Amino acid sequence: MDILSRQYGSDEDGGEDSPREKSALTASPPREKHAFGTRADATLAGSAGATSGNPASRNPQEDDDNDSDDDNMAYRILAPPSSAAPPVSDALLATIPRDIMTAPIDPSKRNLQFNPTYDQLWTPVVGPAHPHNADGRALGLRNHRLGSVQDAAVDSFVFDEQYHTFQAYGYSVDPASVNGGEVVGDKKAVDNKGGATVFNVSKQEREKRALEVKEEERRKKEVEKERKEEERKRKEEKKRRKEEEKAKKAGKKKKRKGGGGGEAQEGEEGGGGEGEMNKRGRKGKAVEQEEEECEGGAKKSSEEEREGAEEEAEEEESEEEEEEEEEEEESEESEEEEEEEEEEEAVEEEIANPASDSWLRKSSKSPWAGKKEEPKAELTEEQKKYAEEHALKKAKKERGDKEEVEEKSTFHGKQEKDYQGRSWIAPPKDVLNPVPPTHCYIPKRWIHTWSGHTKGVSAIRFFPKYGHLLLSASMDTKIKIWDVPNTQKCMRTYMGHSKAVRDICFANDGLKFVSCAYDRNIKLWDTETGQVTGTFSTGKIPYVVKLHPDDDKQNILLAGMSDKKIMQWDTRSGEITQEYDQHLGAVNTITFLDDNRRFVTSSDDKSLRVWEFGIPVVVKYISEPHMHSMPAIAVHPNKAWVAAQSLDNQIIVYGAKDRFRLNRKKRFAGHIIAGYACQVNFSPDGRFIMSGDGEGKLWFWDWKTCKVFRTVKCHDSVCIGCEWHPLETSKVATCGWDGLIKYWD
C-alpha cells in the first residue's frame, strides 16, 4: 500500500497530492503498457526495502531521498523475462538416445528434436579423423571451420577427376592412402560403377579398354617369356662355348704331352732298328752308336719336358684369368637383373598410385590408359584411299593448282517458258504492283519443307519485291532455287563451286545473282539460264558479297575478304575499281545506308566501320572494350536503325543517321548464338525482329517493347538463316545446318 501510495502521490489524510508529489508526477515520463501489467524501473526487493517501517516515523530528509529514488526505480517493477527460443520439453529429451546427441548431424535432415552443441553442428560427416582426437571431432588444431584439413600431393587433373567423381557418384580415392587403393564414400556405388570416374567413358568402352589391357598384359607376358627364353638360350650357348674352349685346351695339353713321348719312342725305335742293322753289318760300332743315340735322346726329352711345363703354367694362368673374368661378368649380369626387377616393382607401385603419371598412362581406370604406347592400327582400304586423295589435294594446294569444276546448271521444272513465252522466273500475274504489308503477324504453324541439299544450308534469299522464288546456298557446293507459291519444288540447281557456298545476293530485278564460296571464287550467275557470266577472285576467301542497291549501279560488286579487305569490282570489265583496307580482321558483313551513299562493315576485329561509297576512308569508327564480333547486320524498314547480331547472345541497335550512335534502350536477348553467324531480320512493317539460334529455335521480339514475343523450334541443328516474305503478312522461311528449308505461316 505504501508503495502504491507513493507511486500515485496519495497522502494519509485525504489522498490529495502534495505540490512536490504533483511536480514529481508531472515530470515523470509516461508509463508503457506491458502484457504483464505496468512496466517499472525498480526491482521488487528494492521497493520492499524502501517501504519497510511506519511512514509517520520517517525522517523528512529520508523521505525526500526515498521519494527521489522511487521516481527512478518505480518503472522496473514486474519486468518479465523474455527469450526467443521455443520451449523444449524435458520429457522429450529423456526419450532421445545419448549417442544421437553426440553423433554428427545428418545435413539432409530439416528438423531436429534436440538442441545440438556447437561441436556437434560443425563435426565433419565424411573425412579423416582428427590427428589429436580419437572421436573425430575437431577440437584441437583447427585450420578450417570444419576441422583439420590435411595437405596431400595430388595432381590437378587427378584432384578434379576425384572431386567430380565424389560429387556425381558419391565416392573417390582416399588421397591419404599409400597405394591409392582405399576409397572414401559409398562402397556400394564403387561396386556398381566398377570404380570408374566421371572422366571415364561408357561401360562398353570401359569393357573394351579392359580387354585391351588384358591383351596388353598377355602381350607383355609373351614378350617377357620370349625374352627369358632368349636369355636362357644365350646362357646355354655361352656355356657350350666355354665347354668347347675348355675341351680344346685340354686336347692341346694332351697333344703336347703325347708328342714328347712319341718322339722319345721314335728315337728308341730308331736306335733299336739301327742297332739291328749294325749287328748285321758292323758289330764293332753298334755299341758306340747306341750309346751316343741314347745320350742325345735323353737330352732332347729333358728340354721338351721343360718347355711343356712352362707352357702348362702359362695356360693355367690364362685359364684362371678367364675364370675370374667369367665370374665378374656373371656377377654384373646378376646385379643388372636385380636392378631390372627393382625398377619393375617401382613401376608397378607407381601404376597403382592415382597421383602419378604412370597411372594415367597405364592404369585400366584411367581414361588415357595405353593411349601413348599403343601401336598404330593399320588403315582400312577406304581410309587409305581418303588419305591418298587428301595428300593429292594438299600437294595441289602447295603447288597453287586450282581445282577445276565444271560450271553447269540443271533445270528441274516442266518447261522453261509457258505457252505465252514468259520465263519461269517471271512474277505471278496477280501481283501487278507489289506493296509490302502494313501489318504483320507472327507465324504459328509449319506448312512446308524443302529438302534437296545434302549438307547444311548457309543462306536463303527471296526473289526481290515478289518473293515467288527462294534462292538457297548450301555447304554441299550447290545453289538451288525453289518455287514458293505453286509447285513448291526445286526449279533449278546451279553447280560451279568446288567448296561450300558462303553467301548469295540477288540483283534488284532478280535476273542475276552473285555467290561466294570457300573455293576463293565469286561467281555471277544468270538466274534464268544458270550460266556463269563472270568469275572474280583475289586468292582469298570471300565471306560476304553484295551488289550495289542502286538501279544504275548494278554492275558494282563488293566483297568482304578474309585478308581484312573489302574489294570492289566492275562486273562488266572484271577489274577491281576500289579497295577498302582498314579492318584488322576478316570482314563479315556489308550493309548500305543513307540512300546507299554509305555502307557499314563489321569484322572479326570486333569493330564497326562506316565508309563513304567509293572513298576508302573510314567516316565513323566504332570499337568499345565491351563489344563482340557482329557476324550479321540488318536494316530496319524505316531505314533509321541498324540491328547487329552480337556474339555475346544479344542483338544491339545503332542509329543509321549521321551520328550512328548505340541505342541503349533497344536490346534483344534470350537466344544463344555464341559461335554461330545467325542472321537477323525484320518483318516488312518493322513491328517484329527475328533471329535463329544455336539450338534450332526461331526467336521473335517486339520492336517497341524489346520483349520476346514467341519462340518456335524450327530445326534439329543450328537455325542459321531466316527471311520474311516481302509480300505476305505472316510467312517466314528458315534454314539450318540440318540441310532443310522450312516455310512457316
Side-chain angles (χ1 to χ4, degrees):
M1 186 63 184
D2 294 337
I3 298 172
L4 295 176
S5 65
R6 285 199 304 276
Q7 173 65 27
Y8 291 98
S10 61
D11 55 6
E12 296 177 354
D13 296 332
E16 295 180 1
D17 296 335
S18 63
R20 182 176 57 82
E21 291 170 342
K22 286 181 179 179
S23 62
L25 287 172
T26 309
S28 62
R31 293 184 294 275
E32 297 178 0
K33 293 295 183 180
H34 196 272
F36 296 91
T38 305
R39 185 173 179 181
D41 292 334
T43 60
L44 188 59
S47 63
T51 59
S52 61
N54 189 358
S57 62
R58 288 188 299 219
N59 190 355
Q61 184 66 30
E62 293 178 357
D63 289 342
D64 295 339
D65 297 336
N66 291 335
D67 289 341
S68 62
D69 293 336
D70 291 340
D71 292 338
N72 295 328
M73 298 170 62
Y75 291 99
R76 288 198 292 271
I77 297 176
L78 301 177
S82 60
S83 175
V88 180
S89 176
D90 295 337
L92 185 61
L93 289 174
T95 61
I96 300 173
R98 184 63 59 183
D99 56 348
I100 292 180
M101 300 182 67
T102 58
I105 297 173
D106 186 1
S108 62
K109 287 186 176 181
R110 297 293 181 183
N111 298 321
L112 295 176
Q113 297 179 351
F114 60 94
N115 290 332
T117 62
Y118 172 83
D119 296 314
Q120 193 175 4
L121 281 173
W122 294 103
T123 301
V125 178
V126 178
H130 194 274
H132 306 297
N133 293 276
D135 58 356
R137 291 184 298 170
L139 299 175
L141 301 174
R142 286 178 180 269
N143 58 3
H144 193 268
R145 66 177 184 177
L146 298 182
S148 176
V149 179
Q150 299 178 357
D151 294 333
V154 182
D155 186 71
S156 59
F157 167 77
V158 178
F159 176 82
D160 291 341
E161 180 184 31
Q162 298 302 325
Y163 173 79
H164 291 296
T165 302
F166 187 83
Q167 298 296 326
Y169 297 158
Y171 65 85
S172 65
V173 176
D174 186 3
S177 59
V178 179
N179 55 359
E182 298 180 10
V183 177
V184 174
D186 190 358
K187 304 291 184 181
K188 293 182 180 179
V190 178
D191 298 334
N192 295 336
K193 297 288 184 180
T197 64
V198 292
F199 290 171
N200 288 121
V201 289
S202 62
K203 184 178 179 182
Q204 182 179 1
E205 185 67 18
R206 290 201 305 271
E207 292 176 354
K208 180 181 176 182
R209 291 185 180 181
L211 293 175
E212 290 177 355
V213 171
K214 289 181 180 178
E215 183 67 21
E216 184 69 18
E217 290 177 355
R218 186 187 62 78
R219 189 180 63 80
K220 287 181 179 179
K221 287 180 180 179
E222 290 179 356
V223 171
E224 185 66 19
K225 188 176 180 181
E226 291 176 358
R227 188 184 65 79
K228 289 181 179 179
E229 185 67 21
E230 290 177 357
E231 185 69 19
R232 186 183 61 78
K233 289 180 180 179
R234 187 176 63 81
K235 288 181 179 180
E236 289 180 356
E237 182 68 19
K238 192 174 182 181
K239 187 176 180 182
R240 186 181 61 79
R241 287 178 181 175
K242 287 180 181 179
E243 290 177 354
E244 288 178 357
E245 289 176 358
K246 287 181 181 179
K248 285 180 181 179
K249 290 175 182 178
K252 287 180 180 179
K253 289 179 183 179
K254 290 179 181 179
K255 188 174 180 181
R256 289 191 188 99
K257 291 179 180 179
E263 288 174 358
Q265 190 174 0
E266 285 175 4
E268 289 177 356
E269 287 177 357
E274 197 170 342
E276 289 291 328
M277 290 175 66
N278 289 333
K279 283 180 181 179
R280 293 175 184 175
R282 289 173 296 191
K283 293 181 180 179
K285 295 181 180 179
V287 178
E288 294 178 358
Q289 287 179 358
E290 191 174 0
E291 290 177 356
E292 289 177 358
E293 288 177 1
C294 289
E295 289 177 359
K299 289 179 181 178
K300 190 175 181 180
S301 62
S302 62
E303 291 177 358
E304 289 177 354
E305 287 176 358
R306 195 181 305 112
E307 291 176 358
E310 291 176 356
E311 289 178 358
E312 287 177 0
E314 291 177 357
E315 288 175 358
E316 288 177 357
E317 290 178 358
S318 62
E319 287 175 359
E320 289 176 357
E321 291 177 356
E322 289 177 357
E323 289 176 357
E324 289 177 357
E325 291 176 357
E326 290 174 0
E327 290 176 356
E328 290 177 357
E329 289 177 358
E330 290 176 357
S331 63
E332 289 177 357
E333 289 176 358
S334 62
E335 289 176 358
E336 289 177 358
E337 291 175 357
E338 290 176 358
E339 289 177 357
E340 289 176 358
E341 291 177 357
E342 290 176 357
E343 289 178 357
E344 290 176 358
E345 291 176 357
V347 169
E348 291 176 357
E349 291 178 357
E350 193 174 1
I351 292 172
N353 184 12
S356 63
D357 294 336
S358 299
W359 182 87
L360 292 175
R361 293 194 303 269
K362 300 179 180 180
S363 176
S364 60
K365 296 180 181 180
S366 171
W368 289 284
K371 292 298 181 184
K372 293 187 178 179
E373 297 181 359
E374 280 187 357
K376 291 184 178 179
E378 294 184 1
L379 298 176
T380 61
E381 294 296 329
E382 187 177 352
Q383 290 173 337
K384 289 179 180 177
K385 186 177 179 181
Y386 177 80
E388 291 175 358
E389 291 177 356
H390 180 71
L392 290 174
K393 288 181 180 178
K394 190 175 180 181
K396 285 183 179 179
K397 187 176 180 181
E398 290 176 354
R399 292 196 305 267
D401 297 345
K402 293 184 179 179
E403 193 172 349
E404 296 181 359
V405 178
E406 183 182 359
E407 297 172 348
K408 60 181 181 178
S409 177
T410 304
F411 182 72
H412 304 288
K414 291 183 179 179
Q415 53 188 5
E416 296 189 13
K417 293 186 178 181
D418 61 1
Y419 67 97
Q420 292 182 343
R422 291 182 304 178
S423 173
W424 63 274
I425 66 169
K429 302 176 184 178
D430 55 348
V431 183
L432 299 177
N433 186 18
V435 178
T438 57
H439 194 84
C440 294
Y441 305 92
I442 299 295
K444 296 181 179 179
R445 59 193 181 95
W446 167 28
I447 59 175
H448 187 68
T449 300
W450 291 288
S451 58
H453 290 291
T454 58
K455 292 184 180 180
V457 181
S458 56
I460 53 174
R461 301 285 185 269
F462 275 109
F463 195 89
K465 298 179 183 179
Y466 297 95
H468 63 290
L469 296 174
L470 180 67
L471 188 68
S472 64
S474 173
M475 299 177 188
D476 60 1
T477 73
K478 297 178 182 178
I479 303 169
K480 292 179 180 288
I481 191 165
W482 314 81
D483 180 72
V484 176
N486 300 321
T487 62
Q488 295 185 337
K489 294 182 179 180
C490 180
M491 300 300 294
R492 184 178 285 278
T493 302
Y494 307 89
M495 294 167 284
H497 289 288
S498 60
K499 292 184 179 180
V501 183
R502 167 78 182 195
D503 192 23
I504 48 177
C505 179
F506 264 118
N508 288 353
D509 54 4
L511 298 179
K512 58 184 178 179
F513 68 91
V514 63
S515 67
C516 64
Y518 286 97
D519 59 0
R520 305 168 191 267
N521 291 325
I522 301 170
K523 294 182 182 290
L524 185 64
W525 303 81
D526 187 289
T527 308
E528 182 180 1
T529 62
Q531 295 179 352
V532 177
T533 59
T535 302
F536 314 94
S537 178
T538 61
K540 303 298 180 181
I541 299 174
Y543 284 157
V544 58
V545 287
K546 189 77 67 175
L547 290 169
H548 198 284
D550 288 347
D551 293 334
D552 58 344
K553 297 178 182 176
Q554 289 289 286
N555 61 313
I556 296 176
L557 168 66
L558 278 82
M561 314 299 290
S562 62
D563 61 348
K564 317 168 191 177
K565 297 179 182 179
I566 300 143
M567 309 302 295
Q568 180 177 318
W569 279 275
D570 187 341
T571 57
R572 292 176 297 191
S573 62
E575 296 179 355
I576 296 175
T577 58
Q578 191 58 267
E579 181 179 313
Y580 306 86
D581 184 11
Q582 289 287 327
H583 276 292
L584 303 177
V587 181
N588 294 323
T589 63
I590 299 174
T591 308
F592 281 89
L593 306 169
D594 195 13
D595 296 332
N596 305 325
R597 291 176 296 183
R598 298 179 181 180
F599 64 92
V600 60
T601 59
S602 64
S603 169
D604 286 343
D605 60 6
K606 305 178 183 179
S607 69
L608 293 175
R609 297 172 195 258
V610 183
W611 313 76
E612 287 280 353
F613 176 73
I615 302 173
V617 178
V618 174
V619 176
K620 181 80 173 181
Y621 170 64
I622 303 170
S623 179
E624 298 292 340
H626 59 80
M627 289 177 60
H628 287 69
S629 180
M630 288 169 271
I633 293 179
V635 183
H636 194 275
N638 63 9
K639 308 296 182 182
W641 305 100
V642 172
Q645 183 84 266
S646 180
L647 286 185
D648 57 348
N649 300 323
Q650 64 176 345
I651 299 173
I652 55 180
V653 178
Y654 289 90
K657 300 300 180 181
D658 293 337
R659 311 195 72 171
F660 210 85
R661 285 188 173 181
L662 174 65
N663 189 345
R664 300 187 183 276
K665 295 181 181 180
K666 296 286 185 184
R667 177 180 172 272
F668 306 92
H671 58 322
I672 305 297
I673 52 94
Y676 302 106
C678 297
Q679 300 167 14
V680 60
N681 217 321
F682 286 93
S683 61
D685 62 350
R687 290 179 59 233
F688 302 106
I689 182 173
M690 62 180 179
S691 168
D693 72 349
E695 298 175 350
K697 296 178 183 177
L698 181 62
W699 293 68
F700 294 91
W701 292 270
D702 187 274
W703 172 254
K704 289 185 178 179
T705 63
C706 299
K707 293 182 179 179
V708 177
F709 199 93
R710 183 171 297 164
T711 303
V712 182
K713 177 66 175 177
C714 297
H715 298 273
D716 296 332
S717 184
V718 181
C719 180
I720 198 71
C722 55
E723 285 277 327
W724 206 297
H725 196 282
L727 298 181
E728 299 288 346
T729 58
S730 62
K731 290 187 177 179
V732 174
T734 62
C735 63
W737 284 2
D738 53 2
L740 301 177
I741 304 168
K742 294 186 178 182
Y743 201 33
W744 304 81
D745 189 5

